[in-house]
Structure formats: structure tokens, C-alpha cells
Amino acid sequence: MKHHIFLASPHMSEEGFEQEYIQEAFESNWIAPLGTNVTEFEKEMEQKLGAGKAVALSSGTAAIHMALKAIGISQGDLVFCQSLTFSASANPITYEKAVPVFIDSESDTWNMDPKALKEALEAYERVGKKPKAVIVVHLYGICAKIEEITEICRKHKVPLIEDAAESLGTIYRGRYTGTFGDYGIISFNGNKIITTSGGGMLLVNTEDAVEKAEKVLYWATQAREPARWYQHTEIGYNYRMSNVVAGIGRGQLKVLDRRVEKKRAIFEFYQRRLAGLSGLSFMPMPENAFCNCWLSVIQLEKDCPVKPLDIMKSLEDEDVESRPVWKPMHLQPVFAGCEFLSREKELFITDKETGADNSVSGQLFERGVCLPSDTKMSEEDQERICRVLEKLWQIEGM
Ligand SMILES: *Cc1c(COP(=O)(O)O)cnc(C)c1O
């Protein structure tokens, strides 16, 4: 019997570090609300990443929400957001009744196109408008052109939020992703490179990081004033990470480098093993970047007779999980009517069924497949996956 292969599943440390930290929490009865695991996890993340201030929260989505609030986003404000991403990057914009404007990707990094961002900022400036924030994503752990984007934002004086939910461990020129923007966010959701079962972290990298982190802590704990009674002057949220969950995080952080190494080995295996399949290419590995390879993603050329859906279906028949590339936000019904800025000036639908268009992000969506990237996979498992793909190419006589 062949076993199921996951796309990416939780992978606790071989040493059982997580259990030790959880045990500590139980013994001290610091199950909730806070305790040393939370504060230590924050410190350990700050040290590991070289971030200003870290605040442990209940999810990556909550971290984006808190970053927007810390910037002061309110009703009607514009926020520029990368279109090719998971909806959680954009949803918090609407929590504050702000207005998302989506920016296309570039083929070099699959992430926000710096040229499209620059043009968008200039076009809005010409009509006297300016976004209150920019959200860039390091999709699948691939590093965006973060220095260029940081520079553009600095020049236009717009705060930058770096969605590093998928890129924990990715390094650009010696610096971890999540530490370039004014704010960075990390996710510890179940399928991410390390997990706490569910959780997230906000990284505050501004000059007034201590103050901003304190403010976020206050909003994230129901906006309780330091009074003897329950006193509130602002609306709060229940967004803080629990001490038990933080214990899992501390254990997982110890094996982050090991997981990155394995993810990279998985990607290299696919590259080596599938190199001969014509019309198939791999996600880019940008220069000067060390990628965590959270998911291994392939692209099929337009005229490739094998289609992404063929691959996903054949893998499913073999009890192997795979996934399409994220469907861009500008193509999502929920964001219909939002502005979208691309270098592609004439947009048209290329796939009636999925609604994909000819933008860079639309094409990455239409032609991409995320291959299983579970760190528990063996080389035999990967071999099994590669044989499924090879067979498809053989059927097509390629
Ligand atoms: C997972 C993810 C998030 C959200 O993180 P949660 O912890 O699940 O709330 C945000 N952005 C991207 C790109 C993600 O992949």
C-alpha cells in the first residue's frame, strides 16, 4: 500500500523540543494567558532574524491587521497590495474599511513588479492620491526585489508591510525577509515551514519600534487600559498568542534551519529529476537570495500539451496532494471592482473556466502547479511523484 503524500504538513522536531516547552507551561500552570514561552519566543525570533520588535499573535492575518492599524489605516485609505498571493494578505485591508489596489507580479521573482509599483505610485500622485501602505509578499519563499521596493516606498514616503508568511528563513544579501519593511509578518499556520498549530508574529522594524509594539500588544489584548477596573477608550482584539502555542513555536524555531535545508533539497531533487521534461520550468531563484523553498512550484509553457490540471489529477489518483498557484486577488469575485495595475496594458481573459487573464500573475496562476514539498518525504516518495509526471509526458509522446 502506497502512503498518502502531503503538500506540506506539520513536522515537529526529532528531539521533542516542543514537548519540553509545553511541559514547562503545564508545570508552571502558565497555560494562559501569557507566560515565559510567549516572551521568550518573541526574543528568540528577534535574535534569529535581527528584527526590531516581535509581537506573537494568534495568526499571520492578525499580524497584517495590526500592522495596518499601527500605520494608522482607516476608512477610505488606499493600500497597494501584491495581487498574486493568498487572500489573507489583502483581507485585513477591508477590516479597516480601506481600499485595496492590486499590483501585478514580474516574471523575475513572481512577486510585486517594482516597475508596476513605481508607475502606480506616480499615476496616483498625478491625481493627488497616495496609498497609506504597500504590502509586498515573498511568495513560496521566493524573495521579492525587496531592496528596490523598499527604496521606492522610501522615496514616496509610504510605509511598507512585508508579508513573509511563507518565507521564514529566506535571506536576501545576509538579511532575513520580514526585516526589510517597516513591518514584517510571519505565519505559523499548519502548512508553513514551521508551525505552532496556528499562530503568527508581527515584526516591527521602525525607529519607534518599542512604542509601536506596545500599542499593538494593547490592541491585541482587548485594548485594556492600565486601570484597576476594566477601562476601554479604543476597540480591541483578542489576537494574542497563547503560552502553550508559543512553546511549540520555540521548539520549532530550533529546527528551522534543518527544515529550510530539507525544503531546498526537495526543490533541487525536482530540478534535477524533471530537467528533461520539455515545456516545464521551475520557480525562479533570484540573485543574492537564499530561498527557503517553502513549496516547489513549476510552470508549464503555453503550448505544453500537458496541462496543470492533468498533473494535479494524476497525482491525486496516486494519493499525492498538489495545488494550483494562488489565484490573483484582482481575479477574485470578492475583490471585483478593485483597481489593478500591471505593465500589461491590455488585459483579457485567457481561460474562461478559471477566469485567468494575460497579466503576469494571471499567467503564473494559469500555468503553475505546486508540487508536494513535505519535509517528511523521502527520496523514494519524490521519485514516485516524478514518475507520475514522466508518464504524462510519455503519453503525449514528448
Ligand atoms: C498563510 C499566509 C497568510 C496568513 O497567515 P495565517 O497565519 O494563516 O493567518 C498570509 N499571507 C500569506 C502569503 C500566507 O501564505
Side-chain angles (χ1 to χ4, degrees), residues 58-62 64 85-89 137-139 163-166 185-192 198-200 294 326:
S58 54
S59 71
T61 312
I64 297 175
T85 186
F86 177 47
S87 63
S89 305
V137 188
H138 303 289
L139 219 58
D163 181 343
E166 301 177 1
I185 77 99
I186 308 287
S187 167
F188 305 111
N189 190 30
N191 59 6
K192 298 289 167 26
W294 172 57
W326 299 120

Side-chain angles (χ1 to χ4, degrees), residues 69-135:
K69 265 191 80 78
I71 290 167
I73 303 294
S74 61
Q75 185 156 6
D77 286 341
L78 298 173
V79 177
F80 286 6
C81 180
Q82 181 167 323
S83 187
L84 187 67
T85 186
F86 177 47
S87 63
S89 305
N91 283 339
I93 300 168
T94 67
Y95 301 170
E96 291 301 320
K97 301 186 173 62
V99 181
V101 172
F102 296 110
I103 310 284
D104 202 4
S105 288
E106 45 146 19
S107 45
D108 287 3
T109 65
W110 292 11
N111 290 305
M112 187 182 276
D113 180 352
K115 192 157 178 278
L117 171 65
K118 189 168 166 280
E119 282 176 8
L121 283 163
E122 288 165 0
Y124 272 78
E125 254 167 35
R126 280 196 292 275
V127 293
K129 287 185 188 171
K130 192 177 151 173
K132 272 273 185 75
V134 170
I135 303 176

Side-chain angles (χ1 to χ4, degrees), residues 79-336:
V79 177
F80 286 6
C81 180
Q82 181 167 323
S83 187
L84 187 67
T85 186
F86 177 47
S87 63
S89 305
N91 283 339
I93 300 168
T94 67
Y95 301 170
E96 291 301 320
K97 301 186 173 62
V99 181
V101 172
F102 296 110
I103 310 284
D104 202 4
S105 288
E106 45 146 19
S107 45
D108 287 3
T109 65
W110 292 11
N111 290 305
M112 187 182 276
D113 180 352
K115 192 157 178 278
L117 171 65
K118 189 168 166 280
E119 282 176 8
L121 283 163
E122 288 165 0
Y124 272 78
E125 254 167 35
R126 280 196 292 275
V127 293
K129 287 185 188 171
K130 192 177 151 173
K132 272 273 185 75
V134 170
I135 303 176
V136 65
V137 188
H138 303 289
L139 219 58
Y140 303 121
I142 310 165
C143 198
K145 284 195 183 143
I146 193 64
E147 274 186 340
E148 243 176 274
I149 288 168
T150 309
E151 197 44 50
I152 293 166
C153 288
R154 197 174 295 143
K155 196 173 149 225
H156 290 262
K157 297 191 169 59
V158 184
L160 178 65
I161 301 171
E162 220 185 329
D163 181 343
E166 301 177 1
S167 71
L168 180 57
T170 291
I171 301 169
Y172 182 78
R173 286 189 201 271
R175 257 172 84 185
Y176 280 99
T177 52
T179 67
F180 289 86
D182 299 279
Y183 297 87
I185 77 99
I186 308 287
S187 167
F188 305 111
N189 190 30
N191 59 6
K192 298 289 167 26
I193 192 154
I194 60 170
T195 181
T196 58
S197 74
M201 204 170 270
L202 176 68
L203 308 173
V204 190
N205 308 312
T206 56
E207 264 171 35
D208 58 349
V210 175
E211 234 170 88
K212 282 290 191 324
E214 264 170 27
K215 195 78 208 224
V216 167
L217 205 58
Y218 158 79
W219 287 319
T221 48
Q222 308 284 25
R224 271 178 70 178
E225 304 285 341
R228 193 167 271 285
W229 48 89
Y230 286 86
Q231 177 88 2
H232 305 275
T233 54
E234 282 187 67
I235 295 297
Y237 302 85
N238 186 3
Y239 276 172
R240 194 66 163 137
M241 182 180 277
S242 97
N243 199 46
V244 175
V245 156
I248 307 176
R250 292 181 76 189
Q252 284 271 280
L253 188 56
K254 288 192 165 174
V255 295
L256 172 64
D257 292 342
R258 201 185 294 165
R259 297 291 176 263
V260 171
E261 209 177 298
K262 175 70 184 183
K263 291 277 192 190
R264 288 172 59 86
I266 290 169
F267 182 62
E268 280 157 22
F269 185 98
Y270 283 131
Q271 272 189 311
R272 217 170 37 241
R273 194 57 185 67
L274 301 174
L277 302 184
S278 63
L280 181 153
S281 60
F282 293 89
M283 61 187 188
M285 288 289 115
E287 257 177 60
N288 301 315
F290 175 85
C291 173
N292 79 353
C293 296
W294 172 57
L295 294 185
S296 287
V297 191
I298 55 167
Q299 280 281 301
L300 303 177
E301 275 170 25
K302 219 185 197 105
D303 54 4
C304 182
V306 178
K307 301 294 170 203
L309 197 59
D310 302 330
I311 296 179
M312 288 186 269
K313 278 185 183 157
S314 301
L315 288 172
E316 203 174 279
D317 291 344
E318 290 285 317
D319 204 14
V320 176
E321 194 184 354
S322 63
R323 232 202 243 170
V325 160
W326 299 120
K327 181 170 178 176
M329 293 305 112
H330 76 278
L331 299 174
Q332 297 287 355
V334 71
F335 291 119

